[in-house]
Amino acid sequence: WGSSETRFDPTMAAESDAYLLMEDIVKPQPALNDGSNENVQSFRDYGARWFMLALFCLATIANAVAWITFSPISKNCALVYDVDETYINLLSLIYMIAYVPIVFPANYVTDTLGLRMSLLLGSILTAIGAWVRYAGQPGESYSYGVVFLGQALAGIGQPFLLAAPPKVASNWFKPQQRTIATTIASVANPLGVALGFVLPTIFVPDSSNLSSDIGSLLLAEAILCVVAAVLVVFAFKDKPPTPPCETAMQQRDEFWPAMKHLFSDRQFLFLFLEFSMGLGSFNTLATLISTLIAPFGFGDSDSSLLGALVIVAGLVGSGVAGFVVDKTHRYRHTLMICFIGSSLAALAFAFLLHTQQIALVAISAALLGLFMTPVMPLSLELACEVTYPVGEATSAGFLLTGGQIVGVVEILVMDKLTQAGYVDVANGITVGGILLGLVFMHFFHGKLKRLQTDHVKDLDKCDE
């Protein structure tokens, strides 16, 4: 892989018997080291990195499934829990509300106490919250309050997971695979959302036995969350014995100096505003999709279909974008293309709802997912590049905070507009938010500092 000889200190690998077992199963391969100095530290790729990435994705998927549970079946849930539909939307909104005060302690835990501790807290809180939700059996007077408490606990667990993808990539992957690793870890969240859209159509068909069906849905999701938490507890490791690259072993800025660095970095602030508008619009669409399409004659099964299409197409788009950026390092140009495509798709979605043709609406929704979903992983990885040596979770967490705040505001405003009959205006807010993200990305011209530190070749050809 590289020009220098790969050297390995067995005393480092002996720090964990689990690693010795992993190496017996999957032999580690030497990682790329492009430095010209023959005396530099040697680095390694471990086959176990993909297993760690899979565990992280499972924990994130479980948390995302819990987040979006009630959105595709909001009308049925409102009937079962005997509350207004606004209170059902609040079950998704609580995730975003909880994120803002929890994200900074979560970032501190991830960058200071380690990735494993962050995943433990996130997955265990999600599992506890899922079982609390199940305890609030539909039909009881206390049901909604118990379900809300469970959602809040799972929502508190989300910040420990959502900002961690760049940290997983940094700890386990070489520079040439970091973007695709961050992409895979990041799309686990929308993949969980897609699963969260599909499961209600399986467990809660339009029937007269809604209370029992919703209870079965919550039980299935609780089991999923527990399985994810148990696997994280017993199998997830913070980092490999030998780092994959130079920046993986270097000390990051302490938390408060890092925050000062972020607030004073003009290029990061442009990126922050771009990402906030993109993620806020995506979260709003995922939360309110049933409410937004209902006035045009579409039902809960249609909202589940559209939500799943957005995510599946987004997985394809993220995979392509991640591969391209790993090869070219052209973050800015790729993100500009994503925002242009997303703006056109969101505009088409708003207009095609009036046709009441599910096929046309589905195509526009798929295109929206194709272009919008890659914005999250690419922006998170780009933030780590331009703010290095700020910790990955700190820079990513700050971006995600902006997205959650914008999402909360958009959901509250658009929910009121749709209830008042102004659905087109509500959809226009989503389009406007994505267009603003495009404007902020246009003004961004940051430097890829982390890749420069790792001595990755051909950075002079990138566009940052």
Side-chain angles (χ1 to χ4, degrees), residues 59 83 89 99 150 176 178 185 221 310 317 374 379:
V83 294
N89 291 333
Y99 189 92
Q176 289 77 6
R178 275 199 304 240
E221 293 185 356
V310 167
S379 297

Side-chain angles (χ1 to χ4, degrees), residues 90 92-102 404 408:
L90 186 60
S92 296
L93 188 62
I94 189 60
Y95 260 62
M96 303 178 204
I97 295 173
Y99 189 92
V100 177
I102 302 298
Q404 301 288 11
V408 168

Side-chain angles (χ1 to χ4, degrees), residues 171-234:
N171 281 9
W172 283 94
F173 289 83
K174 62 185 179 181
Q176 289 77 6
Q177 293 181 338
R178 275 199 304 240
T179 301
I180 195 65
T182 298
T183 298
I184 294 171
S186 297
V187 299
N189 182 266
L191 182 59
V193 173
L195 183 59
F197 272 109
V198 171
L199 287 177
T201 64
I202 298 173
F203 285 91
V204 191
D206 294 329
S207 66
S208 59
N209 199 18
L210 289 176
S211 295
S212 176
D213 291 343
I214 291 175
S216 298
L217 172 65
L218 297 181
L219 175 61
E221 293 185 356
I223 293 172
L224 170 65
C225 294
V226 167
V227 170
V230 169
L231 288 173
V232 167
V233 168
F234 288 102

Side-chain angles (χ1 to χ4, degrees), residues 279-298:
L279 181 64
S281 298
F282 180 87
N283 285 346
T284 301
L285 181 64
T287 301
L288 296 181
I289 188 160
S290 179
T291 305
L292 290 172
I293 68 174
F296 300 95
F298 298 108

Side-chain angles (χ1 to χ4, degrees), residues 145-165:
V146 175
V147 170
F148 184 85
L149 175 61
Q151 280 292 105
L153 288 172
I156 291 171
Q158 188 193 46
F160 294 95
L161 301 168
L162 207 56

